[in-house]
Amino acid sequence: MFDSGPAVQPGAPPLSASQLPAYCVVLDLETTGTSPTHNRIIEVGLCEIENGQVVEEWSSLVNPQVPISPFIAQYTGISNELVADAPLFDEIGEDLYNRLRGKVLIAHNARFDYGFLKNEFARLGFDYQEKTLCTLKLSRRLYPEHRRHGLDALIERHGLSSQARHRALGDVRMTWEFVCKALAEHQPETVAPVLAKILGRPSLPPNLPPEEIEALPSAPGVYLFFGENDTALYVGKSVDLRTRVLSHFSGDHRRHKDMRLSQQIHRLEFIETAGELGALLLEARLVKELSPVHNRRLRRTRELHILRLAPDPSQGTIEILSLTHVAPKDLAHIHGLFRSPREAQKALREIASEHNLCLKVMGLEKGRGACFAYQLKKCRGACLGEEPPALHRARLQMALSALKLRTWPFAGTVGFRERSATGRTAVHVFDQWCHLGTAQDETELADILECSSEPLGFDLDGYKILCRYLEKKHGKLDVVPLAGKTAAKLIAEDETAIRLETDGLCSC
């Protein structure tokens, strides 16, 4: 235990404080870092509130059983020596849980403290689930004219007592002082809906304006999270934007990545699509264009490489080429997609070993005489003329067949038409697995078709998305044949559609 300064004096609360829940606990934690799953609590401070009045204060240092970094020690004033003889959380956990149970947790940036409590209690076998009142959100709602709402900003703006800053009980006292002043400065009819909204939505990011969540539709599309200075943080997709976005914030106390993302979000955008395929394609494109910090998949990859049987066997049996040197019409004659020539060579060596092929004939080994695999009886002697070249080439071609890209199953350009439940319609235009664009109306479709004679760009993500989508739909696709046709009424006319049989197509 420690004394962090003069205690908050019990007494009559401001008039509006009576609008708070009857039983609350104002709490602050100091920790070894920002991850609730990896870092630990080093100090707890709280004051218990009943009917708007402070009835008890309590605080304790906690031995985290891990070293405290010099930065945290300087920031909080809590050193390894100071917590050496402090109790473990295991020793104070049950008492703390009983103090918090059944009471609304009030904290500044409550998500942070709630996440640490949730995880620490879980280690002790307690399931902690209480409502939270975040004073950061309270400040944003009651004082929207101000840009900054951190505790330091509140101290300066409202003249709060700033003794023992960055110590748990000191920050608790400042937080409660802010609550009292903020509620006293606003009429009860202003405060009531604000408290109801915050208490009803404990999991929303503290810096995200609530109206941006309220605007989300229950429709397919893509959503984008932005941080400070409009930095792109994350791009996602869903067939139900509202449900998916809210799911990001429902369990973020369990994962450091989710909590970190939530703390960074300042702005939300969404783009509705006509269906799932449109959302998948748009997500892949936006991730490549924006390179969001938290998107690991679908980012722009380095130049891809492929395998191709050499037209002239005398020049080498197999070629490793950059995909940029391959025309889309020749995609059916290539094998594999690799992120580097080295990865392609590794795949070839594995194929040669599995099928007793000759590394020399394949161009992967130099020198005279028999190849090394022949000495290990893993080559049938193509390097010595014991196996006819034509037979070796045929066996190689068979071995490579498993890596062959799918043949484009249409006679030219087609569109995949989607319609949402709200009537939104789009046609996704493809040729040779290349996505040429998405049209929302006849004009856009005409523009795409007019530009279809330009060189196509093969995109691995687009290829995989469409392959998986074809497999998933099992023939239930609205496919519009576009080769040699104009855009007139293709968006709306059902009779132009054909049904695609996808049975037998393997997944990517």
Side-chain angles (χ1 to χ4, degrees):
M1 308 292 178
F2 75 99
D3 181 11
S4 63
V8 177
Q9 296 299 318
L15 178 62
S16 294
S18 60
Q19 293 181 277
L20 291 172
Y23 298 96
C24 305
V25 174
V26 187
L27 176 137
D28 183 73
L29 303 175
E30 301 301 331
T31 64
T32 60
T34 60
S35 169
T37 55
H38 295 97
N39 298 120
R40 304 303 293 267
I41 295 172
I42 56 177
E43 188 176 39
V44 182
L46 61 84
C47 63
E48 298 179 44
I49 312 295
E50 291 185 11
N51 298 314
Q53 296 187 37
V54 176
V55 296
E56 185 177 356
E57 288 187 343
W58 181 88
S59 65
S60 177
L61 290 166
V62 180
N63 186 335
Q65 297 180 289
V66 295
I68 299 173
S69 71
F71 172 78
I72 294 296
Q74 183 177 9
Y75 184 75
T76 63
I78 301 174
S79 64
N80 291 301
E81 292 74 20
L82 195 60
V83 299
D85 296 325
L88 305 180
F89 191 87
D90 296 14
E91 300 175 60
I92 66 168
E94 185 174 359
D95 180 26
L96 179 60
Y97 180 76
N98 290 330
R99 290 175 181 272
L100 300 179
R101 187 172 55 178
K103 302 173 185 176
V104 173
L105 179 73
I106 300 177
H108 200 71
N109 198 359
R111 176 185 304 277
F112 178 89
D113 302 277
Y114 186 86
F116 271 90
L117 289 173
K118 182 81 172 175
N119 280 276
E120 288 284 11
F121 284 137
R123 294 184 183 106
L124 299 180
F126 297 126
D127 182 19
Y128 178 64
Q129 295 188 37
E130 302 295 346
K131 288 187 175 182
T132 60
L133 175 58
C134 178
T135 52
L136 178 62
K137 294 181 182 179
L138 185 67
S139 177
R140 288 176 61 88
R141 290 179 180 274
L142 294 182
Y143 301 94
E145 69 275 14
H146 294 286
R147 184 165 175 258
R148 297 171 56 240
H149 300 273
L151 196 51
D152 287 327
L154 300 189
I155 291 171
E156 180 181 352
R157 192 165 76 216
H158 297 278
L160 306 179
S161 303
S162 56
Q163 294 180 329
R165 179 72 175 100
H166 300 305
R167 293 298 296 268
L169 195 54
D171 286 354
V172 161
R173 292 167 179 168
M174 283 178 262
T175 300
W176 176 242
E177 188 178 351
F178 163 71
V179 171
C180 293
K181 287 192 174 186
L183 299 186
E185 291 175 0
H186 294 82
Q187 295 298 318
E189 58 268 23
T190 300
V191 172
V194 170
L195 292 178
K197 280 192 173 183
I198 297 176
L199 288 170
R201 298 180 181 182
S203 62
L204 298 186
N207 297 311
L208 184 65
E211 57 270 19
E212 295 187 10
I213 292 289
E214 293 169 1
L216 285 166
S218 296
V222 170
Y223 58 94
L224 304 92
F225 294 148
F226 295 91
E228 288 187 301
N229 303 317
D230 255 7
T231 301
L233 298 176
Y234 185 79
V235 175
K237 52 79 179 55
S238 178
V239 294
D240 186 332
L241 285 168
R242 185 175 186 83
T243 300
R244 180 68 185 97
V245 170
L246 290 174
S247 73
H248 276 281
F249 317 128
S250 61
D252 59 356
H253 54 270
R254 291 190 294 269
R255 297 180 58 202
H256 177 49
K257 176 184 175 183
D258 289 337
M259 172 173 275
R260 184 176 59 185
L261 175 62
S262 178
Q263 299 297 321
Q264 294 173 344
I265 296 172
H266 283 251
R267 187 167 68 84
L268 163 67
E269 286 186 6
F270 66 88
I271 304 171
E272 282 192 61
T273 62
E276 181 185 13
L277 180 57
L280 288 165
L281 293 170
L282 182 57
E283 178 199 32
R285 177 172 67 80
L286 290 176
V287 168
K288 292 180 177 63
E289 291 178 358
L290 301 177
S291 297
V293 176
H294 291 276
N295 282 93
R296 296 185 181 276
R297 297 178 59 250
L298 295 176
R299 285 186 180 175
R300 186 182 300 276
T301 58
R302 293 176 293 177
E303 187 178 37
L304 295 172
H305 293 77
I306 54 92
L307 303 174
R308 185 175 68 179
L309 283 171
D312 184 359
S314 65
Q315 301 299 318
T317 307
I318 197 81
E319 297 174 317
I320 298 176
L321 301 176
S322 167
L323 185 59
T324 57
H325 298 151
V326 179
K329 63 182 179 62
D330 296 326
L331 289 175
H333 305 294
I334 69 174
H335 303 81
L337 288 167
F338 306 97
R339 303 188 186 279
S340 68
R342 177 178 296 181
E343 188 177 304
Q345 286 190 2
K346 179 182 178 182
L348 276 178
R349 292 182 180 276
E350 291 174 354
I351 289 172
S353 176
E354 183 179 353
H355 297 275
N356 295 332
L357 296 167
C358 181
L359 293 175
K360 278 193 175 181
V361 174
M362 294 168 63
L364 298 176
E365 189 177 309
K366 297 181 179 180
R368 297 181 179 180
C371 68
F372 183 69
Y374 181 80
Q375 301 173 41
L376 300 177
K377 297 183 179 181
K378 295 286 289 183
C379 167
R380 296 182 183 179
C383 48
L384 299 176
E386 296 179 6
E387 181 180 26
L391 177 57
H392 184 274
R393 183 180 175 88
R395 291 199 304 113
L396 173 59
Q397 192 167 2
M398 288 290 292
L400 290 173
S401 62
L403 298 177
K404 190 175 181 179
L405 269 68
R406 292 184 183 180
T407 301
W408 179 240
F410 306 99
T413 306
V414 299
F416 297 95
R417 183 162 47 205
E418 287 189 303
R419 287 189 179 88
S420 69
T422 59
R424 182 183 296 270
T425 303
V427 172
H428 312 291
V429 184
F430 277 82
D431 190 11
Q432 299 296 330
W433 300 113
C434 300
H435 182 213
L436 306 184
T438 294
Q440 309 290 337
D441 55 40
E442 295 173 11
T443 301
E444 291 181 0
L445 182 56
D447 290 341
I448 293 172
L449 293 177
E450 288 174 7
C451 297
S452 62
S453 59
E454 298 178 3
L456 305 179
F458 179 84
D459 176 68
L460 177 60
D461 293 316
Y463 169 75
K464 289 183 175 180
I465 287 169
L466 185 55
C467 285
R468 289 169 180 162
Y469 194 76
L470 294 178
E471 180 71 19
K472 180 179 179 180
K473 288 300 179 179
H474 295 294
K476 299 177 182 179
L477 282 171
D478 198 2
V479 183
V480 182
L482 299 175
K485 296 193 176 184
T486 65
K489 300 188 183 303
L490 283 175
I491 291 286
E493 290 182 349
D494 283 333
E495 60 267 22
T496 61
I498 61 174
R499 312 306 280 183
L500 173 66
E501 294 298 332
T502 61
D503 291 342
L505 287 178
C506 60
S507 60
C508 295

